[in-house]
Amino acid sequence: MPWFRRFIAKEMTQRIRGVLAPVVTPFQADFAPDSQRFIAHCKWLLSQNCGLAVFGTNSEANSLSMEERTMLLDELVAARVDPSRMMPGTGCCSIMETVKLTAQAVEYGCAGVLMLPPFYYKNVSEEGLYRYFSEVVQRVGDARLKIYLYHIPPVAVVGITTGLVERLLAAYPNAIAGMKDSSGDWNNTKTFLDAFVRVGPTVGDRRGDSASGPADSLNPRRSSDVDTQTSFDVFVGSESFLLANMRNGGVGTISATANLNAAAIYELYRTWKTADDADQQQSKLNVMRQVFSNRKFPSMIAALNRRLRSTQTIRHGRRCGRRWSNSHWNRQRPSPRSSMRSASQCRD
């Protein structure tokens, strides 16, 4: 029996929460994915209490073929990376590719899948999107399936609406587990939290729901009050909204900067209910995020290289005493969005 099947029982009863990174994908000189460096970076992220949203926007997922994605996931599992800490991106314009990638993730016992809507054709009707996601659920046909809808209108243009979520939850309450909101608009996130997060009686602290700091509020939502088995779990696409999200019943963040700053982001996630300095922690995270949003900052890859130079080796990447070269992190596949990993394109 494959080793990863031991984790399936656990992931069936536990939802993934906290901090996840859309893992940056390193490439070799011929632009093939460098699976060994990819695995090493994933293991380092796990050591920082950071889950793995592999094949996300910052991973250049849509520059990878379906075969490359399946190969990388195969190799991650073969390297004994816990699939219950993974949320692979599986959404493609081709429904057949979406189904195949999703079925693979479910078979491995991944905690869920992050699913873009089909995005090439614009002005798609809500009915069309409903039929797409419905068909994926039915074709995968596995009770373990947990879909996290991916709303990123600045990139995909085609977005997720409350009406769509309502219909999907009514039809597939066990399969539709939550969403990632990368709209960059806190009011939009709050709309989904208000509409779909199930919370119990509020207890404990009385803090506000403002994304920029404390505000007067008598009934803030708390993630600890959420029904963990049947709730619609909301992740924000930027740690700048993490504290507000947690105070309103959200469950964490899936953020590009977690590739570098996971430990600090996780600390806020871990202590937000009890720390007296939660707002100060959030302010520090905001500063880091703003650095990566500044066009004068060279790139996330430059920062990754600096981290690797400072540590000399990737913690889990040493083989036979050989140290990793950093040059592979500088490579991106040629595309009109070749600067996507730069701070100005920090979308996740």
Side-chain angles (χ1 to χ4, degrees), residues 6 26 89 124 247 251 285:
R6 300 199 309 268
V124 181
R247 287 174 174 171
V251 299
L285 294 181

Side-chain angles (χ1 to χ4, degrees), residues 269-286:
Y269 168 77
R270 186 182 69 84
T271 65
W272 73 271
K273 287 185 292 185
T274 57
D276 293 333
D277 67 340
D279 290 290
Q280 287 72 29
Q281 288 187 56
Q282 180 65 76
S283 296
K284 291 179 181 178
L285 294 181
N286 294 349

Side-chain angles (χ1 to χ4, degrees), residues 101-170:
L101 291 168
T102 301
Q104 179 199 27
V106 172
E107 176 62 21
Y108 276 140
C110 291
V113 296
L114 186 60
M115 195 173 293
L116 280 166
F119 54 85
Y120 180 78
Y121 296 104
K122 311 309 178 189
N123 300 315
V124 181
S125 68
E126 184 178 291
E127 174 64 23
L129 293 177
Y130 173 81
R131 289 175 60 189
Y132 176 90
F133 288 113
S134 176
E135 191 70 18
V136 171
V137 173
Q138 293 182 53
R139 284 178 180 259
V140 173
D142 195 312
R144 296 172 294 173
L145 174 62
K146 300 295 180 188
I147 294 175
Y148 294 83
L149 305 168
Y150 190 5
H151 179 63
I152 183 168
V155 175
V157 180
V158 178
I160 305 299
T161 64
T162 54
L164 175 63
V165 172
E166 185 173 10
R167 290 186 64 185
L168 288 170
L169 283 174

Side-chain angles (χ1 to χ4, degrees), residues 60-245:
E60 298 184 70
N62 285 291
S63 296
L64 299 172
S65 68
M66 181 187 70
E67 291 76 16
E68 287 170 328
R69 291 201 222 184
T70 58
M71 176 272 292
L72 286 171
L73 189 56
D74 284 341
E75 295 204 17
L76 274 178
V77 175
R80 303 182 71 85
V81 175
D82 184 352
S84 72
R85 298 184 70 183
M86 297 185 210
M87 187 193 292
T90 62
C92 305
C93 289
S94 163
I95 194 169
M96 300 305 180
E97 292 185 354
T98 299
V99 169
K100 184 170 182 178
L101 291 168
T102 301
Q104 179 199 27
V106 172
E107 176 62 21
Y108 276 140
C110 291
V113 296
L114 186 60
M115 195 173 293
L116 280 166
F119 54 85
Y120 180 78
Y121 296 104
K122 311 309 178 189
N123 300 315
V124 181
S125 68
E126 184 178 291
E127 174 64 23
L129 293 177
Y130 173 81
R131 289 175 60 189
Y132 176 90
F133 288 113
S134 176
E135 191 70 18
V136 171
V137 173
Q138 293 182 53
R139 284 178 180 259
V140 173
D142 195 312
R144 296 172 294 173
L145 174 62
K146 300 295 180 188
I147 294 175
Y148 294 83
L149 305 168
Y150 190 5
H151 179 63
I152 183 168
V155 175
V157 180
V158 178
I160 305 299
T161 64
T162 54
L164 175 63
V165 172
E166 185 173 10
R167 290 186 64 185
L168 288 170
L169 283 174
Y172 307 105
N174 295 320
I176 305 302
M179 73 179 294
K180 175 189 177 183
D181 183 12
S182 289
S183 65
D185 179 358
W186 168 247
N187 290 327
N188 185 75
T189 305
K190 186 67 161 57
T191 295
F192 281 95
L193 289 166
D194 289 344
F196 301 113
V197 173
R198 301 176 184 177
V199 294
T202 305
V203 295
D205 75 19
R206 300 293 185 185
R207 302 182 186 181
D209 59 11
S210 169
S212 58
D216 293 333
S217 176
L218 294 177
N219 294 293
R221 293 163 181 258
R222 294 167 51 108
S223 61
S224 58
D225 300 321
V226 175
D227 181 337
T228 58
Q229 296 304 316
T230 61
S231 67
F232 184 78
D233 291 347
V234 177
F235 290 87
V236 285
S238 167
E239 70 275 20
S240 296
F241 302 118
L242 176 58
L243 185 56
N245 193 42

